[in-house]
């Protein structure tokens, strides 16, 4: 035989038969099942586990042979009659002796109270056992809701809309509450249950002091940040164990940083363009890019709301993250960046700023229960000055506006995104950076996709960073091609000299932007810019003067020879620049 051992003194332990107290729950089985099936369980398997447990239900052993704990309120006389006491008042009313010393209803004081047997009138003494702790926990929907003292108050809160705890509670707390509630009120004490898995370390081991792999909550909140921890939990499928640790936290932080930067961008460019949100001005943009992001937002509101109602928080969180990373940051904002430069005159500028403000504020409202600190920070920093509510947390949950939905436009945009994705994969093969403008690209496709091109030509050109989009195949061989589900895309294998100079100018502009940031210049703050280039291309560079002014917020550009300043070399062209306010 192998024996278990005592965890403290390591003595061998054996099973021993003893007399115990039970609640005959096996007789309640059918009633418990009837009420349990009315409860919404998430994950579904937790509901199945509950039904399995109930269909195999044994009687509930409620006694424990310990000293401390909830004393069972059972008194027995020498004739074996059982007296069950229901309250302190009842105890005092039938006590023979011992009530004077009764400090509280625990041992040792409770054991000194002797009562009169209800059947024979003899003295009765309390049994020595204490109760199973789940008796206490199971009565929570009544004890904490003043069931005995204030029935009206209790009725206001009972049953609970939502209870969440670990998966193991199916057979413990969830079950104990169900028994108490079906016996007392004939129904389950909760409408919806979310059961979740365990937290493990990043390697999937349980956290133990002896393994040295424990991360305490305070430490995690301090080092990772509360919203990072919240987002880790929000993205987690609750039926699986959560592998928690700093590596995961740094990945999550990177994605939250995208959101943080995006919200900073909204504030910076609204202010740089002197945009003042006005809720009285209707939101009905003409530009397809703006109409598209508004349509996506409505879908997001619908899906996030539904996911939360189904207790699928991880789905809601995944949708929100996809929206801010893929739809907003990597697509929409990338495409509006140039249009929102303060020096660029663009006919849809106002509606773009209006759309951007609306979309990001709605996003903050959707995110506020998940990321209360990050959302409130940005709300206080920027949005609050234009809104009536003191805090993002005082806002209502957003409702979708069906008029702003356009599934057809979303389909076209999906095609446009695929074209741009293909273009980028071709660029990688040709060694041409996304920043370098392509003179002409060719696209060969079917009729359906041509509709997309008519509607979204500007978006495709900007997304591909190309000057011209021609339908059909190129005549000469200087092109790379890729076939994909919507057609075949062709881009030039290499840049012409003229295109190289333009690409070099783009690199120069980017380098100037980095330098502006390094010197803490504000967006829109004007500078005087000196540029020196090889003499042979000075004339060509002049062609991009207007571009450079807008890209770098320069009001004067001087071309000439510089000995100092920052050196930039791009596409084999050596340049220098410096600027001053
Ligand atoms: Zn022991
Ligand atoms: Zn008796």
């Amino acid at each position: 035989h192998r024996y278990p051992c005592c965890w403290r003194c390591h003595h061998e332990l054996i099973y021993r038969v003893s007399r115990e107290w039970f609640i005959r729950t096996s007789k309640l089985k059918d009633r418990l099942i009837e009420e349990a099936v009315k409860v919404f369980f998430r994950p579904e398997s937790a509901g199945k586990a509950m039904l399995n447990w109930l269909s195999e239900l044994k009687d509930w052993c409620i006694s424990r042979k310990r000293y401390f704990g909830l004393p069972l309120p059972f008194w027995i006389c020498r004739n074996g009659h059982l007296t069950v006491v229901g309250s302190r008042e009842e105890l005092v009313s039938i006590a023979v002796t011992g009530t004077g010393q009764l400090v509280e209803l625990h041992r040792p004081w409770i054991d000194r109270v002797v009562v009169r047997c209800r059947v024979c009138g003899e003295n009765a003494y309390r049994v020595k056992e204490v109760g199973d702790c789940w008796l206490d926990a199971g009565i929570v929907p009544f004890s904490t809701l003043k069931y005995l003292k204030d029935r009206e108050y209790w009725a206001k809160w009972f049953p609970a809309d939502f209870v969440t705890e670990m998966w193991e509670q199916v057979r413990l707390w969830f079950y104990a509450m169900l028994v108490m509630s079906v016996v007392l009120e004939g129904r389950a004490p909760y409408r919806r249950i979310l059961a979740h898995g365990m937290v493990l370390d990043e390697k999937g081991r349980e956290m133990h002091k002896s393994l040295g792999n424990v991360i305490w909550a305070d430490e995690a909140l301090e080092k990772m940040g509360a919203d990072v921890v919240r987002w880790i939990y929000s993205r987690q499928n609750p039926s699986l164990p959560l592998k928690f640790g700093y590596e995961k936290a740094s990945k999550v932080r990177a994605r939250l940083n995208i959101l943080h930067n995006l919200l900073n961008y909204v504030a910076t460019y609204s202010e740089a363009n002197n945009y003042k949100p006005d809720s009285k001005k209707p939101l009905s943009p003409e530009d397809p890019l703006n109409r598209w992001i508004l349509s996506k937002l409505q879908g997001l509101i619908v899906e996030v709301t539904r996911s939360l109602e189904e207790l699928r928080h991880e789905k809601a969180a995944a949708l929100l993250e996809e929206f801010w990373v893929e739809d907003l940051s990597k697509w929409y904002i990338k495409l509006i960046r140039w249009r929102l430069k303060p020096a660029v005159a663009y006919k849809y500028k106002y509606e773009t700023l209006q759309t951007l403000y609306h979309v990001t504020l709605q996003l903050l409202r959707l995110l506020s229960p998940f990321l209360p600190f990050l959302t409130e920070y940005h709300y206080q920093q920027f949005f609050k000055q234009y809104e009536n509510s003191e805090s993002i947390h005082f806002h209502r949950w957003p409702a979708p506006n069906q008029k702003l939905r356009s599934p057809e436009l979303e389909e076209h945009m999906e095609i446009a995104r695929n074209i741009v994705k293909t273009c980028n994969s071709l660029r990688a093969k040709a060694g041409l950076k996304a920043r370098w403008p392509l003179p002409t690209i060719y696209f060969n496709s079917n009729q359906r996709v041509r509709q997309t091109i008519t509607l979204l030509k500007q978006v495709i050109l900007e997304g591909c960073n190309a000057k011209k989009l021609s339908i059909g195949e190129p005549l000469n061989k200087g092109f790379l091609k890729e076939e994909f589900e919507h057609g075949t895309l062709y881009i030039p294998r290499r840049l012409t000299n003229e295109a190289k100079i333009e690409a070099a100018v783009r690199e120069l502009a980017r380098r100037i932007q980095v330098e502006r940031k390094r010197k803490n210049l504000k967006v829109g703050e004007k500078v005087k810019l000196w540029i020196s280039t090889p003499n042979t291309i000075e004339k060509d560079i002049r062609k991009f003067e207007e571009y450079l002014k807008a890209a770098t917020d320069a009001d004067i550009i001087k071309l000439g020879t510089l000995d100092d300043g920052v050196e930039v070399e791009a596409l084999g062209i050596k340049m220098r620049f410096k600027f001053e306010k």
Side-chain angles (χ1 to χ4, degrees):
H1 277 300
R2 289 172 66 189
Y3 287 99
C5 290
C6 171
W7 64 278
R8 270 193 198 146
C9 62
H10 305 294
H11 281 130
E12 287 172 354
L13 301 172
I14 54 161
Y15 282 111
R16 191 168 64 102
V17 177
S18 68
R19 294 184 70 82
E20 298 291 345
W21 293 88
F22 288 83
I23 294 178
R24 191 162 290 155
T25 39
S26 54
K27 266 183 86 177
L28 289 168
K29 193 156 95 178
D30 294 343
R31 280 295 294 130
L32 293 174
I33 290 173
E34 256 174 67
E35 295 309 316
V37 295
K38 296 177 191 164
V39 176
F40 178 91
F41 279 92
R42 161 93 174 106
E44 238 176 87
S45 46
K48 283 190 188 129
M50 175 63 96
L51 292 182
N52 281 344
W53 168 250
L54 292 177
S55 60
E56 302 289 321
L57 197 59
K58 308 283 185 293
D59 291 333
W60 180 1
C61 174
I62 57 164
S63 52
R64 297 289 181 271
K65 293 195 167 7
R66 294 182 177 180
Y67 189 87
F68 291 105
L70 166 83
L72 290 174
F74 306 157
W75 273 258
I76 292 182
C77 72
R78 63 173 183 183
N79 299 321
H81 304 130
L82 172 66
T83 299
V84 178
V85 179
S87 69
R88 191 185 182 115
E89 291 71 40
E90 191 184 338
L91 179 66
V92 170
S93 74
I94 60 170
V96 178
T97 175
T99 51
Q101 54 84 49
L102 194 57
V103 181
E104 47 156 303
L105 298 173
H106 282 93
R107 298 176 83 178
W109 308 284
I110 190 79
D111 289 352
R112 296 180 194 139
V113 179
V114 179
V115 307
R116 189 177 307 283
C117 173
R118 285 228 180 82
V119 183
C120 65
E122 290 275 352
N123 283 354
Y125 302 87
R126 200 189 74 83
V127 303
K128 288 290 167 275
E129 284 87 358
V130 293
D132 177 9
C133 63
W134 298 106
L135 284 173
D136 251 12
I139 208 71
V140 157
F142 301 92
S143 56
T144 60
L145 294 177
K146 310 182 186 180
Y147 186 65
L148 294 178
K149 292 192 189 101
D150 186 349
R151 199 56 68 94
E152 234 173 85
Y153 174 86
W154 169 83
K156 216 172 92 182
W157 294 100
F158 183 93
D161 287 322
F162 172 69
V163 178
T164 184
E165 247 289 357
M166 270 188 91
W167 178 274
E168 281 70 8
Q169 303 292 9
V170 166
R171 299 184 306 132
L172 300 168
W173 191 43
F174 298 152
Y175 162 69
M177 288 196 290
L178 181 70
V179 171
M180 298 295 188
S181 189
V182 168
V183 169
L184 286 170
E185 289 293 326
R187 61 153 304 161
Y190 35 66
R191 292 196 174 95
R192 284 140 43 101
I193 278 193
L194 174 66
H196 60 78
M198 216 180 162
V199 177
L200 303 172
D201 78 1
E202 258 169 338
K203 291 179 186 141
R205 300 172 305 178
E206 280 187 31
M207 289 191 189
H208 283 298
K209 270 190 188 171
S210 58
L211 283 175
N213 63 349
V214 178
I215 300 175
W216 301 102
D218 282 344
E219 182 197 313
L221 295 172
E222 192 61 43
K223 289 190 183 163
M224 298 174 182
D227 277 355
V228 170
V229 174
R230 278 174 161 267
W231 199 247
I232 292 174
Y233 277 81
S234 299
R235 291 287 323 260
Q236 172 70 22
N237 179 343
S239 17
L240 302 172
L242 167 57
K243 292 180 185 170
F244 187 82
Y246 288 100
E247 219 167 286
K248 181 171 268 172
S250 73
K251 282 179 193 152
V252 166
R253 176 188 295 275
R255 296 195 296 264
L256 294 192
N257 263 337
I258 294 175
L259 177 65
H260 177 66
N261 292 337
L262 182 162
L263 291 162
N264 279 338
Y265 171 84
V266 177
T268 306
Y269 278 81
S270 298
E271 275 155 17
N273 284 295
N274 215 6
Y275 168 67
K276 299 265 179 292
D278 180 354
S279 56
K280 281 177 225 94
K281 291 204 173 134
L283 185 63
S284 54
E286 289 175 38
D287 180 31
L289 190 60
N290 290 331
R291 286 196 286 117
W292 170 78
I293 194 71
L294 285 171
S295 178
K296 289 292 269 191
L297 174 71
Q298 309 317 312
L300 181 74
I301 295 172
V302 170
E303 287 300 316
V304 167
T305 306
R306 181 184 303 151
S307 303
L308 289 178
E309 276 164 1
E310 291 169 354
L311 303 184
R312 291 177 203 282
H313 57 79
E314 80 280 20
K315 189 181 168 199
L319 289 166
L320 286 161
E321 189 178 298
E322 194 191 334
F323 183 78
W324 90 62
V325 175
E326 300 298 330
D327 294 338
L328 262 185
S329 180
K330 286 193 186 163
W331 187 248
Y332 180 76
I333 290 194
K334 223 176 213 178
L335 289 168
I336 62 170
R337 239 169 222 285
W338 177 255
R339 306 169 181 195
L340 292 191
K341 291 265 180 200
V344 171
Y346 172 58
K347 78 168 167 175
Y348 295 132
K349 199 171 213 173
Y350 183 84
E351 65 160 59
T352 303
L353 287 161
Q354 201 188 10
T355 303
L356 184 63
Y357 181 88
H358 175 81
V359 169
T360 44
L361 180 59
Q362 296 295 81
L363 178 63
L364 282 190
R365 289 162 77 179
L366 291 170
L367 281 170
S368 60
F370 296 91
L371 302 170
F373 297 107
L374 186 68
T375 52
E376 179 71 346
Y377 170 80
H378 284 282
Y379 186 76
Q380 295 296 329
Q381 288 290 310
F382 174 64
F383 295 89
K384 193 181 98 177
Q385 57 187 316
Y386 307 111
E387 300 295 322
N388 295 324
S389 299
E390 276 296 295
S391 158
I392 188 68
H393 303 296
F394 295 165
H395 276 255
R396 313 274 317 168
W397 186 252
N401 179 349
Q402 293 304 334
K403 281 185 208 147
L404 294 175
R405 285 200 91 164
S406 171
E408 207 182 324
L409 176 59
E410 286 186 31
E411 265 176 53
H412 285 302
M413 193 62 86
E414 227 23 67
I415 296 171
R417 283 168 101 167
N418 272 332
I419 295 172
V420 172
K421 214 171 92 188
T422 308
C423 181
N424 285 334
S425 111
L426 282 169
R427 276 175 176 274
K429 280 181 206 157
L432 302 173
K433 287 190 188 167
R435 206 176 296 127
W436 302 349
L438 301 172
T440 305
I441 56 175
Y442 287 85
F443 186 55
N444 209 357
S445 69
N446 60 32
Q447 207 49 46
R448 168 98 182 92
V449 176
R450 295 213 180 147
Q451 270 183 27
T452 303
I453 290 168
T454 313
L455 186 67
L456 296 173
K457 189 163 188 179
Q458 198 52 35
V459 166
I460 295 166
L461 282 174
E462 284 174 50
C464 292
N465 191 14
K467 305 257 169 199
K468 200 177 152 206
L469 173 65
S470 295
I471 300 298
E473 287 174 25
L475 293 172
N476 64 54
K477 293 214 180 304
F479 284 81
L480 279 177
K481 68 169 179 175
E482 190 170 318
E483 225 183 300
F484 62 112
E485 61 170 312
H486 303 301
T488 309
L489 188 72
Y490 301 79
I491 76 160
R493 279 176 201 278
R494 52 187 69 85
L495 297 180
T496 58
N497 277 341
E498 200 185 341
K500 270 187 190 164
I501 292 167
E502 187 169 3
V505 169
R506 297 286 172 106
E507 293 290 346
L508 175 68
R510 192 189 67 92
R511 195 63 192 74
I512 295 168
Q513 284 288 72
V514 171
E515 200 60 18
R516 282 184 61 109
K517 252 193 195 149
R518 212 175 60 83
K519 295 202 165 146
N520 289 322
L521 285 177
K522 280 204 187 117
V523 172
E525 205 172 332
K526 294 294 181 195
V527 293
K528 186 177 179 186
L529 183 64
W530 285 267
I531 298 172
S532 91
T533 62
N535 286 332
T536 46
I537 64 162
E538 202 179 293
K539 203 170 79 242
D540 300 298
I541 296 274
R542 282 217 182 276
K543 281 191 259 170
F544 303 111
E545 202 172 319
E546 287 313 307
Y547 163 79
L548 277 168
K549 278 183 177 173
T552 65
D553 282 326
D555 50 7
I556 298 165
I557 295 183
K558 297 235 177 236
L559 294 181
T561 314
L562 278 179
D563 297 322
D564 55 349
V566 181
E567 197 183 278
V568 182
E569 191 179 339
L571 296 103
I573 300 169
K574 273 189 186 164
M575 297 163 284
R576 278 178 177 279
F577 72 88
K578 68 173 185 182
F579 57 77
E580 65 183 32
K581 274 201 259 184

